[in-house]
Amino acid sequence: MKVTVVGGGTWGTAFSSLLAERGHEVTLACRDPLQAAAIAENGRNPRYLPELELAGVEARTLEADALTDCELLGIAVPSHEFRGALENLPDSAPLLILTKGLDPSSGRRLSELTVSRPTAVLVGPNHAEEIARGLPAAAVVASEDEPLAARVQDAVHSSRFRVYLNDDVVGVELCAAVKNVMALAAGAVDGLGLGDNAKAALISRGLAEMGRLAAACGARPETFAGLAGMGDLVVTSWSRYSRNRRAGELVARGRSVAEAEREIGMVVEGITTAPVLRDLSQRLEIELPITEAVCRVVDGGLPHELVSTLMARRPTTE
């Protein structure tokens, strides 16, 4: 299969390598011509995962022929850039969304912006750094187009990257968005030194928030117990590779949100997604207390208030 992956960040780079290992003809489309030229010359991405050899991956800039001459278009750009990237993509090939987040301008799921073409979504506990090292991982691909989902599964599935099918697109996309916000809160617990009990409680209640949102949006609650939900939530909340967890930790230790993002040097999706989720919950008239607490910190509140506010809530049933 001829596949073009749009976005030369960590995940776009790692996913391109996965595809090349499976024998596909892969193009990594980069926005920056200097980045594309460096990859073409050295076979490595100098900015992201520079230790990964990109054998079989052709790097190019976002030219028309790099996008039109393919059978599948993967999009691995930050959520706030997704709409703009989509407007510049041809409609000649199905889309595979690799971005985890919501459209900040509308609050919609990203696949809702692609209704005019076949679309699949791939998510799961997949830190690019471990994928690049060849460590085993699993993911889920979701689409309302069952043949497309099966094609993507067949294209990507391997002995080290196991891919499952799921037709709950709503649930899978919401999982991918919410888990980043929960990871910010989990990182704050780390930064404040509140211990494993507090972190486990927060993650468990975060999963409850995810399920509550799922029910309100028509998703299947069991999706949130799978790879897209519990799997990705756990790895994003605990891993040293997690940008969202790290950002929460840095803010809890005294950095501003802007300083934390600069220190990490990459997009922290949870910071963009948190206010979008809060607004969505208000429209749906459901409670997302952890999300609301994270938003208060992102807006300049003190991190320790996140925990005290949550612990002081009225006792209730689980």
Side-chain angles (χ1 to χ4, degrees), residues 175 178-179 182 206-215 224 228-229 233:
C175 284
V178 179
K179 61 93 181 181
M182 299 302 117
L207 188 64
E209 284 197 18
M210 294 166 76
R212 196 177 305 131
L213 182 64
F224 288 71
L233 175 62

Side-chain angles (χ1 to χ4, degrees), residues 178 182 205-216 277-293 310 313-317:
V178 179
M182 299 302 117
R205 296 312 302 164
L207 188 64
E209 284 197 18
M210 294 166 76
R212 196 177 305 131
L213 182 64
L277 277 178
R278 176 193 57 200
D279 295 345
L280 176 61
S281 70
Q282 291 172 355
R283 291 196 299 271
L284 295 171
E285 297 183 345
I286 60 173
E287 285 191 331
L288 299 182
I290 298 175
T291 300
E292 292 171 1
L310 293 172
R313 296 182 74 240
R314 179 180 57 83
T316 185
T317 57

Side-chain angles (χ1 to χ4, degrees), residues 96-108:
L96 177 61
I97 298 175
L98 303 169
T99 303
K100 298 177 178 180
L102 301 173
D103 176 43
S105 64
S106 67
R108 301 170 72 188

Side-chain angles (χ1 to χ4, degrees), residues 211-256:
R212 196 177 305 131
L213 182 64
C217 293
R220 295 201 302 268
E222 58 265 30
T223 298
F224 288 71
L227 286 167
M230 175 61 81
D232 214 354
L233 175 62
V234 169
V235 77
T236 310
S237 297
W238 288 94
S239 175
R240 62 191 175 97
Y241 297 120
S242 171
R243 284 171 266 170
N244 291 281
R245 190 211 63 79
R246 179 62 176 156
E249 181 180 25
L250 289 172
V251 171
R253 291 181 174 176
R255 308 290 205 285
S256 69

Side-chain angles (χ1 to χ4, degrees), residues 87-239:
E87 292 174 352
N88 295 314
L89 297 181
D91 57 5
S92 56
L95 299 179
L96 177 61
I97 298 175
L98 303 169
T99 303
K100 298 177 178 180
L102 301 173
D103 176 43
S105 64
S106 67
R108 301 170 72 188
R109 293 178 290 106
L110 299 183
S111 70
E112 292 183 284
L113 306 180
T114 68
V115 292
S116 62
R117 66 181 77 188
T119 301
V121 181
L122 187 141
V123 302
N126 305 140
H127 280 306
E129 293 82 358
E130 292 191 353
I131 300 296
R133 292 168 55 200
L135 299 178
V140 58
V141 60
S143 178
E144 296 177 358
D145 185 328
E146 293 184 10
L148 174 59
R151 284 179 61 202
V152 173
Q153 181 187 44
D154 183 65
V156 183
H157 185 93
S158 71
S159 60
R160 72 179 182 93
F161 193 75
R162 186 170 179 82
V163 181
Y164 294 83
L165 295 180
N166 190 324
D167 61 0
D168 182 15
V169 180
V170 176
V172 163
E173 285 192 283
L174 290 176
C175 284
V178 179
K179 61 93 181 181
N180 286 326
V181 180
M182 299 302 117
L184 283 172
V189 170
D190 289 339
L192 293 170
L194 300 179
D196 292 340
N197 290 341
K199 189 170 180 178
L202 184 137
I203 292 172
S204 298
R205 296 312 302 164
L207 188 64
E209 284 197 18
M210 294 166 76
R212 196 177 305 131
L213 182 64
C217 293
R220 295 201 302 268
E222 58 265 30
T223 298
F224 288 71
L227 286 167
M230 175 61 81
D232 214 354
L233 175 62
V234 169
V235 77
T236 310
S237 297
W238 288 94
S239 175

